[in-house]
Amino acid sequence: MPPAPCLLMTPDVVDIHPAIYQAMYAMEPSPAELDAVTDETTAMLKVLLQTANGFSFTGNGMTRSGTELLAEKLLRHSETVLVPIYGGDGQRLARRLERCGADVMTMERQWGEVFEPDEIVSEMKRRRPALVGLVHGDLTTGQMQKLEEIGRACQEMDILLLADVGATAGCVPLRIDDWQVDAVAGSPGKCLCIPDVIEQVSYNERVEARLAGRRWRFRSHEASRREDNNREMPRYGGELESIRGLRGLRQGLSMILREGIEARFARQQLHAGALEAGLQAMGLQPFGSSTGKLPMMAAFSVPEGVSGVATIKRLWHRGIAIAGTPAGLDADIWRIATIGPGASRQSVTKTIQEMELALIEEGFGLPEGLALAATEAFYKQYE
């Protein structure tokens, strides 16, 4: 077991800020607070997504359930969907859309690279799908696909664009109105650092027109509260637990907005840059394309002669968790993220120090202290 507390520097599991736990569990949920919490959370969510969509809300659900629910209700049986895949998250999106009954067509890029927008647009023209499903940021490879040109082409061809923003909302700038993205969904459990008990969803008038006339509507917290106006909610039940999730999301969003969205992005990029400077000083090589890189995540190839798994275990016993090679990738890599508490100078310098010692113990020859010096030199440029 690692010493407690363990510093989570992985893109897969992140530390929950104590203020979020306090907001969720310090007081017993009350049905009377649902209106206020829902309104405040929805307003802040629209600021984060940079959208004026009237259809922005939250709903109960685990990771990526919002994306699947959107697709299930938007698509008719056997309707065609195009999913560009550039990592494991894209593969999972394709499987979810298949479960919704869609006829899924895929195009694939080598993991660690992203598509040129023209490639996706050309495939859209050739196949004419009803919907394009795209992962904005893929945590298995640390890459991010641009959406602007694809959104514009979807509008011109009357194709809906659905984007999974679970890995980017709160970590990178999102401008879904400017990018003409029709619908977005994603769990706030990564960049907003709250438990995965709630989903954030936003869609525009084009999606609403597709849904018009159908019996189904999202059971969002907005809809739930209207239905509950004339009945007393049970003291213990799913409704009260959903209030806890809303409280956590509201707290996470308010922390971002208090810091300032641009300031938060700049802070995460600063610490990610310092982390990469230290890793490169160790002689490690970045994995994947630099043009499509997620700004808050570092993916590096495991050097020859070093066991990636053994190094992760050494760090784990030193109280630091990083991620290894995801399923489906042939290359051996380490994945380290500067999200939440990991986006701090103390966390980055500790990770670099312990990573250096772990590599030396693995027999990888490098001068002790060189990596930390490179990290500190990077920080001094911005003091």
Side-chain angles (χ1 to χ4, degrees):
M1 293 294 291
C6 183
L7 175 60
L8 299 180
M9 299 292 288
T10 80
D12 304 316
V13 181
V14 298
D15 276 314
I16 309 300
H17 196 283
I20 291 175
Y21 275 130
Q22 185 174 13
M24 294 177 69
Y25 297 106
M27 296 175 58
E28 183 73 12
S30 166
E33 66 179 297
L34 184 59
D35 283 15
V37 176
T38 299
D39 289 340
E40 291 174 24
T41 305
T42 300
M44 289 189 285
L45 178 62
K46 291 167 75 170
V47 174
L48 180 70
L49 299 176
Q50 291 294 287
T51 180
N53 283 345
F55 312 99
S56 299
F57 47 81
T58 59
N60 296 338
M62 302 301 286
T63 303
R64 298 186 176 92
S65 59
T67 308
E68 188 167 344
L69 200 57
L70 269 168
E72 180 183 342
K73 303 309 174 183
L74 277 173
L75 298 169
R76 297 177 176 86
H77 185 70
S78 297
E79 207 162 19
T80 56
V81 175
L82 175 63
V83 180
I85 296 173
Y86 59 99
D89 289 340
Q91 290 182 337
R92 283 187 280 272
L93 175 60
R95 289 197 294 268
R96 291 198 301 275
L97 295 179
E98 285 178 344
R99 288 199 297 267
C100 296
D103 178 14
V104 176
M105 305 175 293
T106 62
M107 54 187 298
E108 299 201 31
R109 170 67 74 195
Q110 179 179 334
W111 288 23
E113 299 178 1
V114 293
F115 293 94
E116 290 295 331
D118 288 346
E119 295 178 273
I120 297 176
V121 173
S122 296
E123 198 70 4
M124 288 162 51
K125 291 178 179 178
R126 187 172 74 86
R127 299 193 179 189
R128 291 288 173 173
L131 180 143
V132 173
L134 192 56
V135 172
H136 186 216
D138 197 301
L139 294 176
T140 63
T141 60
Q143 297 292 306
M144 180 173 65
Q145 181 66 54
K146 291 183 178 180
L147 299 176
E148 300 97 308
E149 294 179 41
I150 301 166
R152 184 167 57 250
C154 282
Q155 294 282 328
E156 293 171 355
M157 288 185 267
D158 195 26
I159 297 170
L160 292 177
L161 175 58
L162 167 62
D164 183 333
V165 298
T168 52
C171 283
V172 300
L174 291 177
R175 298 181 177 86
I176 66 172
D177 285 358
D178 292 345
W179 298 344
Q180 301 182 71
V181 180
D182 295 298
V184 297
S187 166
K190 304 300 183 193
C191 294
L192 272 68
C193 304
I194 76 166
D196 280 330
V197 296
I198 197 167
E199 283 282 300
Q200 49 197 2
V201 175
S202 182
Y203 59 85
N204 62 17
E205 290 81 2
R206 292 214 309 156
V207 173
E208 177 63 13
R210 176 71 70 93
L211 295 172
R214 300 191 181 186
R215 296 179 182 177
W216 178 88
R217 284 292 185 275
F218 285 102
R219 183 171 173 78
S220 65
H221 293 112
E222 175 73 24
S224 297
R225 71 175 183 179
R226 288 197 297 267
E227 294 172 13
D228 291 329
N229 278 341
N230 297 320
R231 67 179 177 88
E232 184 179 353
M233 294 172 66
R235 181 169 175 78
Y236 299 102
E239 293 93 341
L240 297 186
E241 284 306 309
S242 73
I243 295 175
R244 294 191 194 276
L246 273 168
R247 283 179 179 174
L249 180 56
R250 179 181 62 176
Q251 180 65 29
L253 288 167
S254 66
M255 290 168 66
I256 291 176
L257 298 184
R258 279 199 303 270
E259 180 180 3
I261 294 177
E262 296 301 327
R264 179 184 176 88
F265 298 151
R267 174 172 60 84
Q268 290 177 332
Q269 284 188 286
L270 169 67
H271 297 302
L275 177 71
E276 290 180 24
L279 294 173
Q280 289 179 345
M282 296 181 202
L284 303 181
Q285 297 300 314
F287 170 79
S289 167
S290 60
T291 56
K293 180 186 173 303
L294 276 169
M296 74 296 182
M297 181 177 160
F300 277 75
S301 298
V302 176
E304 189 174 349
V306 173
S307 169
V309 173
T311 303
I312 290 173
K313 288 181 178 179
R314 290 182 187 278
L315 289 171
W316 177 250
H317 289 294
R318 288 181 163 91
I320 297 175
I322 67 170
T325 305
L329 179 63
D330 292 334
D332 196 7
I333 66 172
W334 291 307
R335 295 174 295 137
I336 310 175
T338 52
I339 302 173
S344 70
R345 187 167 183 166
Q346 180 181 2
S347 298
V348 169
T349 54
K350 180 180 179 182
T351 301
I352 290 297
Q353 283 178 309
E354 299 298 345
M355 186 83 172
E356 187 178 66
L357 291 174
L359 285 173
I360 291 173
E361 291 174 2
E362 280 291 304
F364 187 63
L366 71 157
E368 187 174 347
L370 181 64
L372 183 59
T375 298
E376 294 293 353
F378 183 91
Y379 278 126
K380 286 181 180 178
Q381 299 177 61
Y382 298 92
E383 289 179 347

